[in-house]
Amino acid sequence: MTVFDQVYIGGSWRQADGEKRPLINPDTQAQDAELICASVDACHAATASARRAFEAGWGRSDLLTRRAALNQVITQIEARAEDLAQCISRELGAPIDFARSAQVSAALAHLRATERAMTTRPQDRPLTTNPDHRLRYEPLGVAGLITPWNWPLNQVALKLGGALAAGCTMVLKPSELSSRTALILTEAIHAADLPPGVFNLITGASDIGAALIASPDIDVVSFTGSTQTGRFIAAEAAQRMTRTTLELGGKSANILFEDCNLETALTQGLAHCFRNAGQSCNAASRMLIARDIYDDAVALAAQIADATQVDRPHLSGAHIGPQISASQYAKVQAFIAGVETQGMRLIAGGTGRPNHLETGYYSRPTVFADVPPDAPLFQDEIFGPVLTMTPFDSEEEAIALANATPYGLAGYIQTADPARADRVAKSLRVGMVQVNGISREDGAPFGGRGLSGYGREAGLWGIRAFQDVKSISGAALVDPV
Ligand code: NAD
């Protein structure tokens, strides 16, 4: 059996000597490999190494140096793109075509957008036309990066690119369920030849994540994961007023007005909810539909869900794969079973795995209609291929329903009326809005409000998350570093 037992500290690989964890293949449910995690001592060594690298010069490096480094990292990741896709497919259960075309390519697109943002925004900028006053953006220091498993390369790339561009050094602690992807990424970063200690990798679960954020060497924490863990991280970070970005869960609404193209809206809407087996923070998991088109929408949604293919990760095609783990599968199944007993209208899917799959954590694409806003199904993030459908009678009611959960990550609007799209987009209490299936531009700020967290990633905003702004008055810019 393959054993993954390395951590990366100060520019070299070291033997990990912490907890042993079995790595289970979500398709076969069999043990695939073993992970030996970092110890708390290794975590301390990694943060100390990042501190030394920051003080030794990376913190004062110029933009050109950092841009060249980021470009090197991008080149090396591109060279490992197929390895990364294969690993994500095996580790997460993502169908291989999706792993290539979405998981890996999204990460590369974010890194390129970060690189582009660097070209337009120097560290020192005038405050006004008066040359006596300027703003200077400086790196916060050593960054602790903690990431989830669901987009295992992309979530790391968003943080890695921003931190590197900002001039921070960093310690990455990826999810214990997706460490193999992070190890390949680290091999690519090693090949990019960054100064030793600028990037460090430790593996492990919650105990190692907690040790990382407790380290006095850490100046800024960037966390992506569940709202529950985000609360813990925010409370810990508050002890030392450590700057944090929290990218947490979501329960995003997709509003279908009566003038939308119903077939397109439903096809795209269900695909958005089900893709990655529903394991995306910004999944459009609550569909709100104008009453006039509700019955047609429900009938069509049932057909589309029934036609959604679920299959094994190594097969080519546009199917969805399994949930990542036994516990994630159990959570999704328990949710579906619980709702079935509450009398909500199940129109597609249900409990259990699809008939043609004998093993694996496969859920059926599931749709419930007539879901009231006070139902847990409407309120809670399920992180599986489960869609809710709820009718509304007016634009005001649609907005109220969309805003009726404590999350605030994304909102989706389908309408042929530009004035209505504009009004509703402004009224949604979320960080991101997409109208009529138009995806976010690479480099647009990514993040949310409420229980979806705070702070932004991607592009310029992703760089600023790792910087502080200093105002300087009366000292002209002499040395532009
Ligand atoms: P999780 O919170 O269980 O774990 C996330 C990371 O935090 C892992 O690396 C884990 O080891 C670590 N961790 C867990 N407990 C910790 C602790 N006490 N101290 C420090 N670190 C700790 O989340 P998950 O199950 O890996 O990911 C799924 C969640 O991530 C979903 O809620 C999803 O919505 C969210 N997510 C959000 C975004 C976003 O950008 N908003 C993107 C992707 C995923």
Side-chain angles (χ1 to χ4, degrees):
M1 179 180 311
T2 316
V3 178
F4 294 88
D5 60 355
Q6 300 286 295
V7 292
Y8 185 74
I9 298 172
S12 48
W13 294 96
R14 293 191 197 176
Q15 179 78 39
D17 57 355
E19 182 198 7
K20 290 182 181 167
R21 300 181 70 92
L23 297 175
I24 309 295
N25 184 314
D27 171 45
T28 61
Q29 298 177 241
Q31 184 171 352
D32 231 10
E34 184 174 73
L35 176 71
I36 302 185
C37 301
S39 60
V40 172
D41 283 350
C43 174
H44 292 154
T47 55
S49 145
R51 168 62 54 199
R52 280 194 299 278
F54 185 78
E55 306 297 347
W58 189 254
R60 296 184 301 282
S61 58
D62 58 54
L63 263 185
L64 280 181
T65 304
R66 303 206 294 266
R67 238 183 105 193
L70 182 51
N71 270 319
Q72 262 306 315
V73 168
I74 292 171
T75 303
Q76 296 301 333
I77 294 174
E78 282 168 344
R80 299 297 300 274
E82 181 59 20
D83 293 341
L84 284 159
Q86 294 289 349
C87 182
I88 291 169
S89 178
R90 191 179 179 100
E91 188 167 55
L92 173 65
I96 185 62
D97 290 343
F98 182 77
R100 290 186 185 115
S101 66
Q103 291 272 0
V104 174
S105 62
L108 281 165
H110 280 131
L111 287 167
R112 291 189 194 107
T114 301
E115 194 271 336
R116 282 197 300 279
M118 291 178 84
T119 62
T120 55
R121 302 294 167 134
Q123 288 172 146
D124 290 83
R125 315 188 63 203
L127 177 65
T128 61
T129 50
N130 182 341
D132 276 346
H133 305 280
R134 70 187 143 104
L135 299 177
R136 178 172 171 74
Y137 288 93
E138 296 183 342
L140 279 161
V142 177
L145 314 179
I146 301 182
T147 54
W149 47 263
N150 61 328
W151 285 78
L153 182 65
N154 186 54
Q155 301 311 138
V156 175
L158 280 162
K159 300 184 189 312
L160 161 72
L164 207 56
C168 286
T169 58
M170 66 205 85
V171 179
L172 167 66
K173 207 289 300 163
S175 168
E176 58 278 23
L177 299 180
S178 61
S179 304
R180 285 172 283 178
T181 300
L183 284 161
I184 297 177
L185 171 70
T186 304
E187 288 170 9
I189 293 171
H190 182 64
D193 220 12
L194 302 182
V198 168
F199 174 88
N200 304 272
L201 170 79
I202 53 170
T203 55
S206 56
D207 54 334
I208 298 301
L212 178 60
I213 54 167
S215 163
D217 278 320
I218 295 293
D219 299 301
V220 49
V221 172
S222 181
F223 171 78
T224 301
S226 63
T227 297
Q228 187 188 359
T229 309
R231 281 199 181 101
F232 171 81
I233 301 232
E236 288 298 302
Q239 300 310 309
R240 288 183 297 110
M241 296 299 165
T242 306
R243 194 76 61 88
T244 53
T245 295
L246 298 176
E247 299 287 358
L248 310 178
K251 188 75 183 180
S252 299
N254 185 8
I255 308 174
L256 274 58
F257 287 100
E258 60 283 354
D259 58 356
C260 74
N261 180 324
L262 190 58
E263 196 170 334
T264 304
L266 282 167
T267 306
Q268 290 179 349
L270 269 77
H272 199 289
C273 177
F274 294 158
R275 77 184 196 138
N276 212 28
Q279 302 168 133
S280 293
C281 53
N282 60 352
S285 53
R286 287 185 296 139
M287 192 175 273
L288 310 175
I289 304 123
R291 180 120 16 218
D292 287 355
I293 57 170
Y294 186 69
D295 290 343
D296 289 347
V298 169
L300 196 48
Q303 280 174 31
I304 296 170
D306 287 343
T308 301
Q309 299 294 314
V310 182
D311 223 326
R312 304 185 59 196
H314 66 276
L315 298 174
S316 252
H319 53 282
I320 62 170
Q323 314 309 139
I324 191 173
S325 64
S327 64
Q328 201 62 35
Y329 182 66
K331 184 182 155 204
V332 172
Q333 292 297 316
F335 234 108
I336 297 173
V339 176
E340 280 177 354
T341 60
Q342 288 158 28
M344 260 162 262
R345 185 150 64 105
L346 176 71
I347 61 159
T351 48
R353 65 168 78 81
N355 293 337
H356 67 291
L357 294 163
E358 282 167 17
T359 61
Y361 305 128
Y362 292 95
S363 304
R364 299 165 68 195
T366 295
V367 183
F368 286 98
D370 312 342
V371 176
D374 57 352
L377 183 63
F378 190 96
Q379 293 290 331
D380 298 346
E381 183 181 55
I382 298 171
F383 234 47
V386 181
L387 179 73
T388 70
M389 301 182 84
T390 305
F392 63 82
D393 290 304
S394 66
E395 185 178 307
E396 293 68 33
E397 191 189 1
I399 293 167
L401 284 168
N403 289 337
T405 82
Y407 292 106
L409 192 55
Y412 305 89
I413 303 167
Q414 321 300 329
T415 178
D417 177 352
R420 172 150 66 187
D422 180 54
R423 263 193 323 269
V424 177
K426 288 172 181 161
S427 307
L428 296 183
R429 232 178 19 245
V430 296
M432 305 173 280
V433 176
Q434 291 177 207
V435 179
N436 293 333
I438 304 289
S439 294
R440 299 166 50 257
E441 176 79 296
D442 293 334
F446 192 102
R449 50 172 94 166
L451 292 190
S452 296
Y454 45 74
R456 294 291 182 267
E457 299 197 298
L460 180 62
W461 290 267
I463 300 173
R464 295 290 186 245
F466 292 98
Q467 291 177 322
D468 211 350
V469 63
K470 182 185 277 177
S471 72
I472 301 180
S473 303
L477 179 61
V478 176
D479 179 0
V481 169

